[in-house]
Amino acid sequence: MKMGNTSAVTEFFLVGLSKYPELQLLLFMFCLITYMIILLGNSLLIVIIILDSRLHTPMYFFLGNLSFLDICYTSSFIPPMLTIFKSGRKSISFIGCALQMVVSLGLGSTECVLLAMMAYDRYVAICNPLRYPIIMHRVLYVHMAAWSWIIGCLTSLVQTVMTMMLPFCGNNVIDHFTCEILAILKLTCADISMNVLILTVASTVLLVIPLLLIFISYVFILSSILRINSAEGKKKAFSTCSAHLTVVILFYGSALFMYMKPKSKDTKASDEIIVLSYGVVTPMLNPIIYSLRNKEVKEAVKKVLSRHLHLWKI
């Protein structure tokens, strides 16, 4: 195959689900409503965590990071996707596509590591409650969150640079509605074995290993919970862990299916629906799950709302 230059491609055309125009209208409404809920829910959770001093703990520090991450992650691709669904303008510049890929892939990778950090925090809190303030001191949990961001962003940067440096030979039609790395790699006219190897290694390091660590953490957590004599203590422990575990199942289940399944030559509509699952639905459910399943968050919300209502009456 004749090799071309990446400069021959100055823009890409996103044609995901273009065969289903009636579905695009439904997806536009769904994604618009979901995005509004994501912005409102996660922003409210961040504000509550900042305003209520009782929530200034490692657990809620990680949760605040997760909410901020979800806002940035969804903002990187949902607004352009809405434009595609509504206006029919399906083009995106080469630079714009690269930026969308590095941001979405980086934040998605960061969330994988961050969820593992949150599992370790719950493990220490439940299995070593007396030593929890000593182990999970401020320097440690701030560094844990920072390294989650650093690892995710560096991994994404390497993969994006290696992908966008490949020759596309004029092939610029992406069978997807975002600049997703698997869809981009299918457009190249060069050997992508190194890219696939790095993607496989990154998927193993950022998906399989954190998930394994989360599983091990929850084995110890469950063992400790079952040894708690107080029914109220068991209920509180299950409440604080079940929210995190629900988010883990939703996020990792979709991501593992997408990046660890055998790669096919053609992008299927099911792959794009899976992207919506972990890219749109999970960020929307995160604040809802943590609010409904967490007594401290619900009490903090009531406290902040009552304070503002009191000020309005004055």
Side-chain angles (χ1 to χ4, degrees):
M1 183 179 291
K2 184 180 178 181
M3 301 291 287
N5 195 300
T6 54
S7 61
V9 173
T10 58
E11 64 179 358
F12 291 99
F13 291 91
L14 301 162
V15 296
L17 298 178
S18 58
K19 298 178 182 178
Y20 311 97
E22 67 284 352
L23 183 60
Q24 287 192 358
L25 179 60
L26 292 175
L27 285 176
F28 172 82
M29 297 303 300
F30 170 75
C31 291
L32 178 61
I33 295 171
T34 303
Y35 186 53
M36 293 297 103
I37 296 174
I38 289 170
L39 293 181
L40 179 61
N42 285 286
S43 298
L44 179 61
L45 198 53
I46 292 173
V47 171
I48 294 297
I49 291 172
I50 293 173
L51 293 180
D52 197 312
S53 58
R54 294 175 300 174
L55 303 183
H56 294 175
T57 62
M59 174 183 172
Y60 295 105
F61 176 77
F62 288 129
L63 182 55
N65 272 264
L66 182 62
S67 293
F68 178 71
L69 184 151
D70 283 339
I71 291 173
C72 296
Y73 175 61
T74 52
S75 296
S76 69
F77 70 91
I78 292 183
M81 188 168 64
L82 292 175
T83 302
I84 291 172
F85 288 156
K86 183 63 177 177
S87 68
R89 184 180 179 274
K90 301 182 182 297
S91 63
I92 183 172
S93 68
F94 187 92
I95 298 298
C97 189
L99 288 174
Q100 186 182 89
M101 186 192 301
V102 73
V103 172
S104 60
L105 185 61
L107 295 178
S109 301
T110 300
E111 184 161 351
C112 292
V113 184
L114 191 61
L115 288 173
M117 299 295 186
M118 294 173 73
Y120 175 74
D121 172 70
R122 291 300 83 206
Y123 160 74
V124 177
I126 293 174
C127 299
N128 297 280
L130 298 179
R131 299 183 59 204
Y132 180 73
I134 301 173
I135 297 174
M136 292 301 296
H137 52 83
R138 182 176 179 80
V139 174
L140 177 62
Y141 67 74
V142 169
H143 275 79
M144 289 170 65
W147 277 108
S148 298
W149 287 88
I150 292 170
I151 292 171
C153 293
L154 285 179
T155 303
S156 169
L157 184 61
V158 170
Q159 292 190 69
T160 300
V161 169
M162 289 191 64
T163 299
M164 302 310 280
M165 287 180 64
L166 292 170
F168 293 95
C169 307
N171 191 4
N172 65 344
V173 179
I174 303 173
D175 189 15
H176 213 287
F177 42 69
T178 65
C179 290
E180 207 274 332
I181 188 169
L182 294 177
I184 295 290
L185 285 173
K186 293 172 184 176
L187 302 183
T188 63
C189 53
D191 182 17
I192 61 171
S193 56
M194 181 58 67
N195 299 77
V196 173
L197 176 62
I198 292 175
L199 182 60
T200 303
V201 172
S203 298
T204 302
V205 172
L206 296 174
L207 285 173
V208 178
I209 293 179
L211 187 58
L212 181 61
L213 294 175
I214 292 171
F215 175 77
I216 294 172
S217 297
Y218 273 97
V219 169
F220 286 106
I221 289 171
L222 182 60
S223 176
S224 296
I225 291 176
L226 293 176
R227 291 199 300 267
I228 297 176
N229 295 323
S230 167
E232 184 65 26
K234 285 184 179 180
K235 183 179 179 181
K236 183 177 180 181
F238 273 119
S239 177
T240 57
C241 293
S242 60
H244 175 255
L245 196 57
T246 303
V247 171
V248 166
I249 293 171
L250 288 171
F251 179 80
Y252 278 99
S254 303
L256 283 171
F257 179 84
M258 186 68 189
Y259 289 100
M260 298 302 292
K261 68 180 178 62
K263 307 297 186 293
S264 60
K265 179 65 179 175
D266 299 318
T267 301
K268 299 179 181 179
S270 61
D271 292 348
E272 299 169 37
I273 301 301
I274 289 295
V275 170
L276 286 178
S277 175
Y278 75 83
V280 178
V281 177
T282 304
M284 177 192 68
L285 292 178
N286 282 354
I288 298 175
I289 291 170
Y290 279 104
S291 298
L292 294 178
R293 299 291 299 172
N294 196 300
K295 183 179 178 181
E296 292 176 330
V297 173
K298 287 189 285 188
E299 289 178 350
V301 170
K302 292 178 182 177
K303 180 181 176 182
V304 171
L305 290 177
S306 62
R307 183 189 305 169
H308 282 75
L309 288 173
H310 178 70
L311 289 176
W312 288 339
K313 288 179 181 179
I314 296 175

